[in-house]
mmCIF file of all heavy atoms in Angstrom:
data_model
loop_
_atom_site.group_PDB
_atom_site.id
_atom_site.type_symbol
_atom_site.label_atom_id
_atom_site.label_comp_id
_atom_site.label_asym_id
_atom_site.label_seq_id
_atom_site.Cartn_x
_atom_site.Cartn_y
_atom_site.Cartn_z
ATOM 1 N N GLU A 1 84.764 107.679 91.582
ATOM 2 C CA GLU A 1 86.043 106.971 91.525
ATOM 3 C C GLU A 1 87.200 107.847 91.996
ATOM 4 O O GLU A 1 88.047 107.411 92.780
ATOM 5 C CB GLU A 1 86.299 106.473 90.104
ATOM 6 C CG GLU A 1 87.481 105.559 89.980
ATOM 7 C CD GLU A 1 87.572 104.894 88.617
ATOM 8 O OE1 GLU A 1 86.665 105.051 87.784
ATOM 9 O OE2 GLU A 1 88.576 104.218 88.410
ATOM 10 N N GLU A 2 87.237 109.089 91.532
ATOM 11 C CA GLU A 2 88.300 110.010 91.934
ATOM 12 C C GLU A 2 88.234 110.306 93.437
ATOM 13 O O GLU A 2 89.248 110.304 94.129
ATOM 14 C CB GLU A 2 88.178 111.327 91.158
ATOM 15 C CG GLU A 2 88.454 111.209 89.680
ATOM 16 C CD GLU A 2 88.001 112.422 88.889
ATOM 17 O OE1 GLU A 2 87.076 113.148 89.324
ATOM 18 O OE2 GLU A 2 88.586 112.633 87.811
ATOM 19 N N PHE A 3 87.018 110.558 93.911
ATOM 20 C CA PHE A 3 86.801 110.859 95.325
ATOM 21 C C PHE A 3 87.226 109.677 96.190
ATOM 22 O O PHE A 3 87.931 109.849 97.191
ATOM 23 C CB PHE A 3 85.321 111.198 95.536
ATOM 24 C CG PHE A 3 84.964 111.649 96.920
ATOM 25 C CD1 PHE A 3 85.318 112.907 97.371
ATOM 26 C CD2 PHE A 3 84.230 110.839 97.770
ATOM 27 C CE1 PHE A 3 84.953 113.339 98.639
ATOM 28 C CE2 PHE A 3 83.871 111.254 99.039
ATOM 29 C CZ PHE A 3 84.235 112.508 99.474
ATOM 30 N N ALA A 4 86.806 108.477 95.788
ATOM 31 C CA ALA A 4 87.138 107.266 96.538
ATOM 32 C C ALA A 4 88.649 107.091 96.652
ATOM 33 O O ALA A 4 89.184 106.802 97.732
ATOM 34 C CB ALA A 4 86.507 106.047 95.875
ATOM 35 N N LYS A 5 89.336 107.279 95.553
ATOM 36 C CA LYS A 5 90.791 107.132 95.549
ATOM 37 C C LYS A 5 91.432 108.146 96.481
ATOM 38 O O LYS A 5 92.347 107.817 97.242
ATOM 39 C CB LYS A 5 91.327 107.293 94.128
ATOM 40 C CG LYS A 5 92.807 107.048 94.007
ATOM 41 C CD LYS A 5 93.261 107.134 92.562
ATOM 42 C CE LYS A 5 94.762 106.871 92.471
ATOM 43 N NZ LYS A 5 95.245 106.940 91.100
ATOM 44 N N GLU A 6 90.946 109.360 96.436
ATOM 45 C CA GLU A 6 91.510 110.449 97.254
ATOM 46 C C GLU A 6 91.330 110.179 98.753
ATOM 47 O O GLU A 6 92.215 110.481 99.546
ATOM 48 C CB GLU A 6 90.850 111.773 96.870
ATOM 49 C CG GLU A 6 91.464 112.980 97.497
ATOM 50 C CD GLU A 6 92.788 113.387 96.861
ATOM 51 O OE1 GLU A 6 93.054 112.999 95.707
ATOM 52 O OE2 GLU A 6 93.549 114.083 97.538
ATOM 53 N N ILE A 7 90.186 109.612 99.147
ATOM 54 C CA ILE A 7 89.934 109.379 100.568
ATOM 55 C C ILE A 7 90.348 107.976 101.016
ATOM 56 O O ILE A 7 90.210 107.624 102.187
ATOM 57 C CB ILE A 7 88.454 109.658 100.954
ATOM 58 C CG1 ILE A 7 87.490 108.687 100.274
ATOM 59 C CG2 ILE A 7 88.094 111.115 100.681
ATOM 60 C CD1 ILE A 7 86.042 108.808 100.745
ATOM 61 N N GLY A 8 90.833 107.171 100.073
ATOM 62 C CA GLY A 8 91.356 105.863 100.440
ATOM 63 C C GLY A 8 90.325 104.760 100.565
ATOM 64 O O GLY A 8 90.547 103.775 101.279
ATOM 65 N N TYR A 9 89.209 104.896 99.863
ATOM 66 C CA TYR A 9 88.168 103.874 99.855
ATOM 67 C C TYR A 9 87.921 103.431 98.419
ATOM 68 O O TYR A 9 88.363 104.075 97.478
ATOM 69 C CB TYR A 9 86.858 104.400 100.458
ATOM 70 C CG TYR A 9 86.949 104.722 101.930
ATOM 71 C CD1 TYR A 9 86.984 106.026 102.367
ATOM 72 C CD2 TYR A 9 87.001 103.710 102.867
ATOM 73 C CE1 TYR A 9 87.070 106.331 103.723
ATOM 74 C CE2 TYR A 9 87.086 103.998 104.228
ATOM 75 C CZ TYR A 9 87.118 105.313 104.649
ATOM 76 O OH TYR A 9 87.195 105.604 105.980
ATOM 77 N N SER A 10 87.175 102.361 98.262
ATOM 78 C CA SER A 10 86.845 101.898 96.915
ATOM 79 C C SER A 10 85.671 102.697 96.360
ATOM 80 O O SER A 10 84.896 103.292 97.121
ATOM 81 C CB SER A 10 86.486 100.408 96.927
ATOM 82 O OG SER A 10 85.229 100.219 97.548
ATOM 83 N N LYS A 11 85.547 102.678 95.044
ATOM 84 C CA LYS A 11 84.411 103.332 94.393
ATOM 85 C C LYS A 11 83.109 102.718 94.896
ATOM 86 O O LYS A 11 82.132 103.421 95.124
ATOM 87 C CB LYS A 11 84.520 103.184 92.874
ATOM 88 C CG LYS A 11 83.364 103.805 92.117
ATOM 89 C CD LYS A 11 83.504 103.584 90.629
ATOM 90 C CE LYS A 11 82.277 104.073 89.889
ATOM 91 N NZ LYS A 11 82.373 103.810 88.458
ATOM 92 N N MET A 12 83.093 101.402 95.090
ATOM 93 C CA MET A 12 81.880 100.726 95.563
ATOM 94 C C MET A 12 81.488 101.204 96.960
ATOM 95 O O MET A 12 80.309 101.321 97.268
ATOM 96 C CB MET A 12 82.053 99.217 95.525
ATOM 97 C CG MET A 12 82.151 98.704 94.091
ATOM 98 S SD MET A 12 81.842 96.959 93.877
ATOM 99 C CE MET A 12 80.213 96.772 94.518
ATOM 100 N N THR A 13 82.474 101.502 97.787
ATOM 101 C CA THR A 13 82.181 102.013 99.129
ATOM 102 C C THR A 13 81.514 103.379 99.032
ATOM 103 O O THR A 13 80.501 103.631 99.689
ATOM 104 C CB THR A 13 83.471 102.093 99.976
ATOM 105 O OG1 THR A 13 83.986 100.773 100.139
ATOM 106 C CG2 THR A 13 83.207 102.712 101.331
ATOM 107 N N VAL A 14 82.067 104.254 98.205
ATOM 108 C CA VAL A 14 81.475 105.590 98.025
ATOM 109 C C VAL A 14 80.064 105.460 97.447
ATOM 110 O O VAL A 14 79.136 106.138 97.884
ATOM 111 C CB VAL A 14 82.375 106.489 97.160
ATOM 112 C CG1 VAL A 14 81.668 107.785 96.782
ATOM 113 C CG2 VAL A 14 83.679 106.791 97.882
ATOM 114 N N GLN A 15 79.878 104.577 96.476
ATOM 115 C CA GLN A 15 78.546 104.352 95.915
ATOM 116 C C GLN A 15 77.592 103.881 97.008
ATOM 117 O O GLN A 15 76.444 104.330 97.073
ATOM 118 C CB GLN A 15 78.603 103.308 94.800
ATOM 119 C CG GLN A 15 79.209 103.819 93.526
ATOM 120 C CD GLN A 15 79.372 102.725 92.476
ATOM 121 O OE1 GLN A 15 79.454 101.540 92.793
ATOM 122 N NE2 GLN A 15 79.434 103.130 91.221
ATOM 123 N N GLY A 16 78.060 102.992 97.871
ATOM 124 C CA GLY A 16 77.226 102.506 98.976
ATOM 125 C C GLY A 16 76.825 103.618 99.922
ATOM 126 O O GLY A 16 75.688 103.681 100.381
ATOM 127 N N TYR A 17 77.767 104.531 100.224
ATOM 128 C CA TYR A 17 77.448 105.684 101.071
ATOM 129 C C TYR A 17 76.377 106.544 100.417
ATOM 130 O O TYR A 17 75.404 106.942 101.062
ATOM 131 C CB TYR A 17 78.684 106.555 101.307
ATOM 132 C CG TYR A 17 79.781 105.963 102.150
ATOM 133 C CD1 TYR A 17 81.093 106.405 101.994
ATOM 134 C CD2 TYR A 17 79.546 104.989 103.113
ATOM 135 C CE1 TYR A 17 82.126 105.901 102.763
ATOM 136 C CE2 TYR A 17 80.574 104.473 103.879
ATOM 137 C CZ TYR A 17 81.857 104.927 103.696
ATOM 138 O OH TYR A 17 82.884 104.437 104.461
ATOM 139 N N GLU A 18 76.562 106.820 99.131
ATOM 140 C CA GLU A 18 75.638 107.720 98.433
ATOM 141 C C GLU A 18 74.271 107.092 98.194
ATOM 142 O O GLU A 18 73.288 107.818 98.033
ATOM 143 C CB GLU A 18 76.262 108.183 97.117
ATOM 144 C CG GLU A 18 77.428 109.124 97.331
ATOM 145 C CD GLU A 18 77.948 109.744 96.060
ATOM 146 O OE1 GLU A 18 77.309 109.617 94.993
ATOM 147 O OE2 GLU A 18 79.034 110.385 96.121
ATOM 148 N N ARG A 19 74.199 105.796 98.154
ATOM 149 C CA ARG A 19 72.907 105.119 97.983
ATOM 150 C C ARG A 19 72.233 104.814 99.316
ATOM 151 O O ARG A 19 71.081 104.375 99.343
ATOM 152 C CB ARG A 19 73.102 103.819 97.204
ATOM 153 C CG ARG A 19 73.495 104.038 95.774
ATOM 154 C CD ARG A 19 73.661 102.724 95.070
ATOM 155 N NE ARG A 19 74.077 102.945 93.695
ATOM 156 C CZ ARG A 19 74.686 102.029 92.951
ATOM 157 N NH1 ARG A 19 74.931 100.826 93.440
ATOM 158 N NH2 ARG A 19 75.041 102.307 91.720
ATOM 159 N N GLY A 20 72.945 105.005 100.400
ATOM 160 C CA GLY A 20 72.388 104.719 101.714
ATOM 161 C C GLY A 20 72.432 103.243 102.070
ATOM 162 O O GLY A 20 71.825 102.817 103.043
ATOM 163 N N ILE A 21 73.167 102.461 101.291
ATOM 164 C CA ILE A 21 73.295 101.023 101.539
ATOM 165 C C ILE A 21 74.349 100.772 102.612
ATOM 166 O O ILE A 21 74.245 99.850 103.396
ATOM 167 C CB ILE A 21 73.698 100.292 100.234
ATOM 168 C CG1 ILE A 21 72.601 100.463 99.193
ATOM 169 C CG2 ILE A 21 73.993 98.828 100.482
ATOM 170 C CD1 ILE A 21 73.006 100.049 97.788
ATOM 171 N N ARG A 22 75.367 101.599 102.636
ATOM 172 C CA ARG A 22 76.476 101.462 103.573
ATOM 173 C C ARG A 22 76.477 102.669 104.498
ATOM 174 O O ARG A 22 76.310 103.798 104.058
ATOM 175 C CB ARG A 22 77.780 101.387 102.787
ATOM 176 C CG ARG A 22 79.007 101.215 103.621
ATOM 177 C CD ARG A 22 80.250 101.194 102.748
ATOM 178 N NE ARG A 22 80.311 100.006 101.944
ATOM 179 C CZ ARG A 22 81.078 98.958 102.210
ATOM 180 N NH1 ARG A 22 81.834 98.969 103.276
ATOM 181 N NH2 ARG A 22 81.102 97.915 101.416
ATOM 182 N N LYS A 23 76.672 102.419 105.774
ATOM 183 C CA LYS A 23 76.732 103.513 106.741
ATOM 184 C C LYS A 23 78.192 103.907 106.969
ATOM 185 O O LYS A 23 79.075 103.074 106.943
ATOM 186 C CB LYS A 23 76.095 103.074 108.057
ATOM 187 C CG LYS A 23 74.624 102.741 107.909
ATOM 188 C CD LYS A 23 73.935 102.752 109.236
ATOM 189 C CE LYS A 23 72.478 102.361 109.142
ATOM 190 N NZ LYS A 23 71.674 103.113 108.252
ATOM 191 N N TYR A 24 78.415 105.188 107.172
ATOM 192 C CA TYR A 24 79.755 105.667 107.443
ATOM 193 C C TYR A 24 79.817 106.178 108.871
ATOM 194 O O TYR A 24 78.798 106.427 109.506
ATOM 195 C CB TYR A 24 80.175 106.759 106.453
ATOM 196 C CG TYR A 24 79.191 107.903 106.352
ATOM 197 C CD1 TYR A 24 79.250 108.973 107.218
ATOM 198 C CD2 TYR A 24 78.193 107.890 105.389
ATOM 199 C CE1 TYR A 24 78.341 110.022 107.135
ATOM 200 C CE2 TYR A 24 77.285 108.938 105.291
ATOM 201 C CZ TYR A 24 77.365 109.992 106.166
ATOM 202 O OH TYR A 24 76.473 111.020 106.081
ATOM 203 N N THR A 25 81.020 106.344 109.362
ATOM 204 C CA THR A 25 81.226 106.794 110.732
ATOM 205 C C THR A 25 81.585 108.276 110.768
ATOM 206 O O THR A 25 81.910 108.872 109.737
ATOM 207 C CB THR A 25 82.382 106.005 111.384
ATOM 208 O OG1 THR A 25 83.589 106.290 110.668
ATOM 209 C CG2 THR A 25 82.110 104.506 111.377
ATOM 210 N N PHE A 26 81.563 108.823 111.946
ATOM 211 C CA PHE A 26 82.010 110.195 112.123
ATOM 212 C C PHE A 26 83.477 110.316 111.723
ATOM 213 O O PHE A 26 83.895 111.323 111.153
ATOM 214 C CB PHE A 26 81.817 110.654 113.573
ATOM 215 C CG PHE A 26 82.285 112.065 113.799
ATOM 216 C CD1 PHE A 26 81.492 113.134 113.429
ATOM 217 C CD2 PHE A 26 83.537 112.320 114.344
ATOM 218 C CE1 PHE A 26 81.929 114.447 113.602
ATOM 219 C CE2 PHE A 26 83.978 113.614 114.534
ATOM 220 C CZ PHE A 26 83.173 114.678 114.165
ATOM 221 N N GLU A 27 84.246 109.266 111.996
ATOM 222 C CA GLU A 27 85.656 109.274 111.629
ATOM 223 C C GLU A 27 85.830 109.413 110.113
ATOM 224 O O GLU A 27 86.767 110.067 109.646
ATOM 225 C CB GLU A 27 86.356 108.008 112.136
ATOM 226 C CG GLU A 27 86.572 107.993 113.639
ATOM 227 C CD GLU A 27 85.319 107.650 114.455
ATOM 228 O OE1 GLU A 27 84.337 107.122 113.886
ATOM 229 O OE2 GLU A 27 85.324 107.937 115.661
ATOM 230 N N THR A 28 84.938 108.795 109.350
ATOM 231 C CA THR A 28 84.987 108.929 107.887
ATOM 232 C C THR A 28 84.739 110.383 107.488
ATOM 233 O O THR A 28 85.459 110.931 106.655
ATOM 234 C CB THR A 28 83.954 108.002 107.212
ATOM 235 O OG1 THR A 28 84.272 106.652 107.525
ATOM 236 C CG2 THR A 28 83.934 108.190 105.709
ATOM 237 N N LEU A 29 83.743 111.008 108.095
ATOM 238 C CA LEU A 29 83.476 112.420 107.799
ATOM 239 C C LEU A 29 84.669 113.289 108.188
ATOM 240 O O LEU A 29 85.047 114.209 107.460
ATOM 241 C CB LEU A 29 82.227 112.900 108.527
ATOM 242 C CG LEU A 29 80.894 112.379 108.020
ATOM 243 C CD1 LEU A 29 79.759 112.892 108.900
ATOM 244 C CD2 LEU A 29 80.660 112.776 106.577
ATOM 245 N N GLN A 30 85.271 112.979 109.323
ATOM 246 C CA GLN A 30 86.426 113.752 109.772
ATOM 247 C C GLN A 30 87.597 113.579 108.811
ATOM 248 O O GLN A 30 88.306 114.543 108.502
ATOM 249 C CB GLN A 30 86.846 113.332 111.182
ATOM 250 C CG GLN A 30 87.944 114.195 111.770
ATOM 251 C CD GLN A 30 87.517 115.634 111.934
ATOM 252 O OE1 GLN A 30 86.520 115.923 112.578
ATOM 253 N NE2 GLN A 30 88.259 116.558 111.336
ATOM 254 N N LYS A 31 87.793 112.367 108.312
ATOM 255 C CA LYS A 31 88.858 112.106 107.347
ATOM 256 C C LYS A 31 88.653 112.940 106.083
ATOM 257 O O LYS A 31 89.585 113.564 105.577
ATOM 258 C CB LYS A 31 88.880 110.619 107.000
ATOM 259 C CG LYS A 31 89.952 110.228 106.023
ATOM 260 C CD LYS A 31 89.923 108.725 105.767
ATOM 261 C CE LYS A 31 91.019 108.314 104.828
ATOM 262 N NZ LYS A 31 91.055 106.865 104.606
ATOM 263 N N ILE A 32 87.413 112.961 105.575
ATOM 264 C CA ILE A 32 87.096 113.757 104.388
ATOM 265 C C ILE A 32 87.337 115.238 104.672
ATOM 266 O O ILE A 32 87.927 115.951 103.865
ATOM 267 C CB ILE A 32 85.646 113.507 103.931
ATOM 268 C CG1 ILE A 32 85.503 112.064 103.439
ATOM 269 C CG2 ILE A 32 85.221 114.500 102.850
ATOM 270 C CD1 ILE A 32 84.064 111.610 103.244
ATOM 271 N N ALA A 33 86.902 115.691 105.843
ATOM 272 C CA ALA A 33 87.092 117.095 106.222
ATOM 273 C C ALA A 33 88.574 117.450 106.255
ATOM 274 O O ALA A 33 88.982 118.505 105.755
ATOM 275 C CB ALA A 33 86.446 117.354 107.580
ATOM 276 N N ASP A 34 89.375 116.573 106.821
ATOM 277 C CA ASP A 34 90.813 116.837 106.909
ATOM 278 C C ASP A 34 91.459 116.900 105.527
ATOM 279 O O ASP A 34 92.279 117.776 105.264
ATOM 280 C CB ASP A 34 91.502 115.767 107.752
ATOM 281 C CG ASP A 34 91.148 115.856 109.231
ATOM 282 O OD1 ASP A 34 90.614 116.892 109.665
ATOM 283 O OD2 ASP A 34 91.401 114.864 109.949
ATOM 284 N N ILE A 35 91.084 115.979 104.651
ATOM 285 C CA ILE A 35 91.679 115.922 103.315
ATOM 286 C C ILE A 35 91.355 117.176 102.507
ATOM 287 O O ILE A 35 92.218 117.736 101.831
ATOM 288 C CB ILE A 35 91.219 114.660 102.561
ATOM 289 C CG1 ILE A 35 91.846 113.409 103.199
ATOM 290 C CG2 ILE A 35 91.548 114.733 101.075
ATOM 291 C CD1 ILE A 35 91.268 112.098 102.708
ATOM 292 N N TYR A 36 90.106 117.639 102.594
ATOM 293 C CA TYR A 36 89.665 118.741 101.739
ATOM 294 C C TYR A 36 89.585 120.092 102.437
ATOM 295 O O TYR A 36 89.165 121.084 101.844
ATOM 296 C CB TYR A 36 88.318 118.397 101.114
ATOM 297 C CG TYR A 36 88.445 117.254 100.130
ATOM 298 C CD1 TYR A 36 88.025 115.978 100.464
ATOM 299 C CD2 TYR A 36 89.019 117.454 98.876
ATOM 300 C CE1 TYR A 36 88.155 114.925 99.568
ATOM 301 C CE2 TYR A 36 89.160 116.416 97.988
ATOM 302 C CZ TYR A 36 88.728 115.153 98.337
ATOM 303 O OH TYR A 36 88.881 114.114 97.453
ATOM 304 N N GLY A 37 89.975 120.154 103.687
ATOM 305 C CA GLY A 37 89.987 121.423 104.391
ATOM 306 C C GLY A 37 88.608 121.883 104.830
ATOM 307 O O GLY A 37 88.377 123.081 104.993
#
């Protein structure tokens, strides 16, 4: 929940990524990289 809020996605979206149900893009990885250095 905290991570999702920080990156601007819903908790369900993050859960989907971690369960492999939802696919993410390179842009999503880049966004996370930018936020957390």
Side-chain angles (χ1 to χ4, degrees):
E1 189 170 354
E2 293 166 335
F3 185 74
K5 185 176 180 180
E6 188 76 21
I7 65 173
Y9 294 106
S10 71
K11 179 182 174 183
M12 292 198 58
T13 297
V14 171
Q15 286 175 336
Y17 292 155
E18 290 188 10
R19 292 180 182 159
I21 297 168
R22 181 182 291 258
K23 297 198 183 304
Y24 53 86
T25 63
F26 179 80
E27 287 78 16
T28 298
L29 288 177
Q30 186 63 56
K31 181 178 182 177
I32 294 168
D34 290 345
I35 290 169
Y36 293 104

